[in-house]
Amino acid sequence: MNLDQVKATLTQIIQHGDPNFAPAAQFCMQVVQAAESGQMNNDEIKETLLDVQRQINIINDMGGLQLKENLNLCINALITIAGFVL
Amino acid sequence: MKTIALALIVMLSGCTIADSYLLGKFDNNEYMLVTQIRTDSAKAIRSCDNAAASAANAEAIADKTQLLENYSEKLQHNDDVYNASKSLNEIAQGLVRQYQSGKPVSAMFCKLKFGSLQNSAITIQPIIGKRPR
């Protein structure tokens, strides 16, 4: 994947508008633009790119928790429903 | 209706029910810390043109992310938030390391790092806030 393809993919993710992944893609695009314009040195570019991975890890951790919480709501609702009918 | 309700409960395996019930409860301190990190990051972005102020802001926010990581670690059934808080702390510690290296830190790097902290706190905050009381 070349830089143009990277930018096109990031633009697609940004336009998709997912509340978690769109800001991460926007952040990644800012890193690319700052690197291209020479506003950051190599250490800074490397560290900010690591941040993209850290943000994705956080989204993954929190996504799993959201699913677990949704499941918890379903179970509580089912128990309540069962309480009414049993 | 009774049969359907019973069938639904039985369909949810014992492990799934146990996993769901082992979900951590809402914790005021955890929620407050992540809200402070979100708010402080947003404020710190505005000072990134001032290197001395930004270095102090970086130290202050890294103290809070470290506190959140340490606090989350020992709460029961809290692996997901603990893992997220570890990643959040790594973001903040990376910022502090740059300031401590003695090399000049660009304003753009400062803005992106505090932006990264803000984005991540925004991701974590609603999940902690929706936890069962």
Side-chain angles (χ1 to χ4, degrees):
Chain A
M1 190 181 261
N2 62 34
L3 192 56
D4 286 339
Q5 289 169 321
V6 168
K7 284 184 187 172
T9 305
L10 288 173
T11 303
Q12 280 177 358
I13 298 170
I14 293 164
Q15 287 171 346
H16 185 272
D18 180 276
N20 289 318
F21 287 104
Q26 180 70 49
F27 177 84
C28 199
M29 186 69 97
Q30 287 175 313
V31 174
V32 170
Q33 288 166 348
E36 280 185 318
S37 62
Q39 293 180 75
M40 293 196 295
N41 63 39
N42 285 347
D43 284 349
E44 292 175 339
I45 293 166
K46 191 178 166 191
E47 176 62 28
T48 43
L49 286 175
L50 283 174
D51 277 2
V52 179
Q53 187 58 56
R54 291 168 184 144
Q55 285 185 46
I56 291 168
N57 290 344
I58 289 171
I59 291 167
N60 285 336
D61 289 329
M62 294 296 93
L65 194 56
Q66 181 68 64
L67 290 175
K68 210 187 279 183
E69 278 168 5
N70 288 344
L71 182 61
N72 197 49
L73 284 174
C74 290
I75 291 169
N76 284 333
L78 282 172
I79 288 169
T80 307
I81 292 165
F84 280 123
V85 294
L86 293 178
Chain B
M1 184 66 184
K2 191 188 290 184
T3 314
I4 294 169
L6 271 173
L8 281 171
I9 291 170
V10 171
M11 276 165 59
L12 295 164
S13 72
C15 287
T16 307
I17 291 174
D19 189 37
S20 182
Y21 266 101
L22 291 176
L23 189 67
K25 299 283 182 200
F26 175 79
D27 185 289
N28 278 321
N29 296 321
E30 203 173 45
Y31 189 75
M32 175 59 83
L33 271 173
V34 80
T35 306
Q36 282 181 348
I37 291 164
R38 175 188 170 181
T39 309
D40 292 353
S41 311
K43 195 177 167 193
I45 290 172
R46 298 197 289 270
S47 302
C48 278
D49 291 326
N50 180 335
S54 296
N57 288 338
E59 291 270 1
I61 207 148
D63 285 347
K64 283 186 182 167
T65 56
Q66 185 67 64
L67 180 60
L68 177 64
E69 181 185 330
N70 291 347
Y71 185 85
S72 301
E73 183 184 6
K74 300 300 179 188
L75 290 178
Q76 273 195 319
H77 316 306
N78 204 36
D79 290 351
D80 293 319
V81 172
Y82 172 57
N83 288 335
S85 70
K86 265 203 303 190
S87 298
L88 192 67
N89 190 34
E90 283 169 13
I91 295 172
Q93 299 302 334
L95 177 59
V96 170
R97 274 197 302 274
Q98 290 291 323
Y99 282 109
Q100 288 176 342
S101 71
K103 296 176 191 166
V105 177
S106 70
M108 177 55 73
F109 177 73
C110 168
K111 284 175 189 169
L112 287 172
K113 289 294 279 184
F114 279 115
S116 182
L117 285 163
Q118 187 185 7
N119 282 350
S120 301
I122 286 171
T123 302
I124 298 168
Q125 188 188 20
I127 305 300
I128 294 178
K130 280 183 207 164
R131 286 179 142 187
R133 264 60 171 179

